[in-house]
Every structure is written in C-alpha cells, then in structure tokens.
Amino acid sequence: MNYKSLNPILYTKNLNQTIQFYTEKLRFTCIEKNEALHWALLQNGIIEIMFSHPVKGIAFETAQFTGSLYFNIDEVDKLWEELKEKVRICYEIETFEWGMREFAIYDNNGYVLQFGEKI
C-alpha cells in the first residue's frame, strides 16, 4: 500500500472569507466550490486544502487543529515581505539551526500556517 497524497479538510464558519484569504494573500486558486455542501477545494501547485462548514454533530467555535500546516516553498523572504503587514503573525521570519528559514502566520480562522525554505 502506498499513500498518494494528504488532503486536509479544515473547518470554517465563513467559507467565502476563507477562500478570499487563501486566494488573495497566499495565491491559491479555488478549484471547486459547492454552495449546498458549504465546501471548497483550494490549490497552489500540488498543495490542495479543502475547507467546509463543520459537520453536524461536531462542536466548532474556532480552529481546533492542534498543530500547524507547514509549507515548503521557494523565496520565503519574498512571501514574508508580501504578507507581514497584511496578516496576523505567529512568529517572524528567522533562520533556524536545523537549516530552514521560516515564519508562521494565522489564517482568518486561527489555523497556524508555517512557511519554510531550506537554506
């Protein structure tokens, strides 16, 4: 058995606001949106993230993910310059001893998004 991909589904109370955040700030494209299901698929390169309203029966007040999404990217400094005044910062750009230059932000829902580039 081989795993082929990982496609997270993150809950949001405001699907349109989330689509706007990811398309305008992070250059994702909304590939598919289903109004009836309150669901959308966003993509940037080979990265795909699904967003939906919480499934009935699951209590959801705010982001409940107890980790982060880590994006390996090129030109991390360029993205930092584009975002640093437009988003809520989790931690500023820094070069770490493990050989990564990275920073982290919060998306509109409160999920932590980390961006790193190998140096």
Side-chain angles (χ1 to χ4, degrees):
M1 174 179 62
N2 293 317
Y3 293 98
K4 295 182 180 181
S5 66
L6 174 66
N7 302 89
I9 301 173
L10 301 177
Y11 292 147
T12 180
K13 287 185 175 181
N14 190 323
L15 187 60
N16 289 330
Q17 185 181 61
T18 298
I19 292 169
Q20 183 178 2
F21 180 92
Y22 279 81
T23 57
E24 290 181 5
K25 293 186 172 38
L26 301 178
R27 294 185 231 133
F28 275 73
T29 301
C30 184
I31 300 300
E32 189 175 348
K33 181 179 178 185
N34 186 310
E35 295 283 349
L37 296 176
H38 305 285
W39 173 90
L41 172 64
L42 284 79
Q43 182 181 50
N44 184 322
I46 63 168
I47 307 289
E48 291 183 345
I49 305 173
M50 292 179 268
F51 292 94
S52 75
H53 284 198
V55 176
K56 289 181 181 179
I58 296 178
F60 179 78
E61 294 301 319
T62 186
Q64 298 175 357
F65 189 67
T66 58
S68 65
L69 297 177
Y70 195 96
F71 298 85
N72 286 289
I73 65 168
D74 294 325
E75 301 182 52
V76 71
D77 288 286
K78 182 179 178 182
L79 184 60
W80 168 252
E81 289 301 320
E82 290 176 16
L83 294 178
K84 68 181 181 181
E85 303 296 327
K86 299 176 184 174
V87 297
R88 187 166 59 117
I89 304 299
C90 180
Y91 64 87
E92 295 187 3
I93 196 160
E94 184 177 343
T95 300
F96 291 94
E97 62 270 10
W98 51 83
M100 294 296 288
R101 182 151 176 83
E102 62 186 55
F103 69 93
I105 65 171
Y106 297 96
D107 80 355
N108 64 299
N109 301 292
Y111 295 110
V112 176
L113 309 177
Q114 294 175 266
F115 300 89
E117 179 177 13
K118 188 174 182 175
I119 55 169

